[in-house]
Amino acid sequence: MRLGIFIFFFFALFIEVDGQLLFLQDTYKGGISVDGASYYGHNYMSPDTINFQNSVSTGSNIRRAFLISNRISYSPNQSDSSVKFLFNNDSIKFKVNEVFSSFYCSSNGNSQTTSLAIKDVTASTLTNNNKLILPCQSCAVINQTANFVYDGFLLLIYYDNNVMPVINTAIFLNSQNYSPFMTYNLNGLNKIINSNDVGLSIWANDLNMEYPISFTLNSFSNFVLGSLWFNEGLFTDESKVPGSFYYENNTLTGLVDDSPNAFIDSSDALANIKSYINNNITSVNLSATLGTDPACYDVINTFILAYSTPCPARNLKPLQTYTLCNGQGLQLNATPGASHYSWYPGSSLNNDTLGSPVASPTIGLTNYIVQVDSFGCKHTEYFTVTTFPSPKFDSVTVYGAVCGVNAGAAIINNAHDGTLPLSLDIGGAAQTNNSFYPLTPNSYTATVTDSKGCKYKKPFTVSQINQANVSFNFSHDTVCLGYITTFANTSVGVNNLNWYIDNTLFSSVFGNANYLFNDTLSHIVTLIGWSNIPQCSDTITKTIYVKECPPDSFSITVPNVFTPNADGINDTWQPLIYEYGYTIENFVINIFDRWGLKVFESSYAQKSWDGRTTSGSACSEGTYYYVINYTANSFAGKTKKETLKGFLQLSR
């Protein structure tokens, strides 16, 4: 009967000793049925239909079902297989993450890598009459669309039945490279009761009469089980090499051409080994001879044990599936109260012996298997964690908000990785556009989120840019009472001005401002300027002093004689300037000799002439000609501009 959907994935297996991987150990009330098909040579390349001869008792429910494939790498491409099969009308395909063991053979000039992929087909499996339809694999090879080809399949059906006694099942997968003499250690088992049937089923591929595989059970008597081979001369469509059987009610029953006796022979790959093992053992050891030159024949795939055990039945714990974003951790929780836990793989766990370790898996699918040892009774539990790559972006370009002019903006640059599509946000609604405008000055977090919910974040700040820079000048720190003072605006980045005297607004003109002081105090002049809105302002203050001034006066007295003889008396010549309420803005004096050659020049009113030429030579006695040009401005705004000319006498 079909059950509801039961999804199950697996990873590389838990116990590995001499190449044997314990894939699954389960203890329950019910039974197990196994059947399959293998091919000889390249017959797997042709299309085929496999009708599995599994037997599930009436009144039983399928507990779980697996389809194991023997697949051969056809190309170095290790992506998912392109070959699709039809299992009970459901399309299936084996994926890279469903490969659990691989082994290699190189002999007689031949080489081959074989892998075992396991797919959970519980949701598609029937209690009887299961069918697998194989496509034309040679067609895929010719069209170069196949990464792998498949050389055999094994269907394992576990079924629950509460009226049946407890059964223990263990599946071991081979991952041991070829050697003519092999040892297989099947360890980590629950105790075997040898008073009831103990079934050992072997699945192998590419057997022939010339190079059979001989098995010996390495127990107290080193019992020779026999040899497996296939008579290719009798080949029709498929080889019944897998040990087909069902086990229930402590009894092993063979299917197809497999006999539940103590021997294996030809394609009979099933043996009842109860008489050749000790009671309550927890391991079964085999040795095998594969012939002297098998040319990569004799491919051993699996060992399946089914037997009764003193361990109690356990409820099936469903697979626990999780999704993570890269960089996150996850706590895995196995059944509590056990005496010992052993996890695989342990490299990405903080402790592989805890019941609840923290996993930090890498990107991709990581399947964890834990062997739970409850005081001598063991079972396996499974966890699958899919870790998605987190999206990223390179940087955030931020444009500040220019106060009173324009708002801020941000651009998230080159969002990538993660699972498409990506969405972006900065604390509001998500969008696909990477530009965000308008933004007020504030702190933000740029976030890119992918379709799996994985996020990448980076904070940024939109700053307030105030371009207002106000300044002004006036001619003197001290001005005269009763005269208008001009304040010259030199501001930039503003289009509005307010002028204040002692915190009282006196002008809003955009430009220079004039003011008439009516007292003789000191005053604070304040200029506030902004661009568009008053919040975007800048302020500057200056102090000005007002005093009463006598009438403006300005005069220059020019001496007409001097004696540069170094006697300390009248050794230099300099105009005498009297100024009150005036400031000299420009001043130039030139002195010429009687031939019109310039002997002295200055633009500094306080500089005197020492009677030497511009080259430093002493001038001779005689008459010299001077020209003085000046401009002077008063506090009251008056301007005096004049040119003075005359003669002076130089005596020694």
Side-chain angles (χ1 to χ4, degrees), residues 308-321:
S308 59
T309 181
C311 290
R314 55 176 291 274
N315 294 326
L316 178 64
K317 186 173 182 179
L319 172 73
Q320 298 182 52
T321 60

Side-chain angles (χ1 to χ4, degrees), residues 355-371:
S356 299
V358 175
S360 301
T362 56
I363 294 174
L365 181 69
T366 303
N367 293 289
Y368 294 94
I369 180 170
V370 56
Q371 178 159 300

Side-chain angles (χ1 to χ4, degrees), residues 563-571 652:
T563 56
N565 55 10
D567 63 357
I569 301 172
N570 200 24
D571 285 334
R652 296 292 181 180

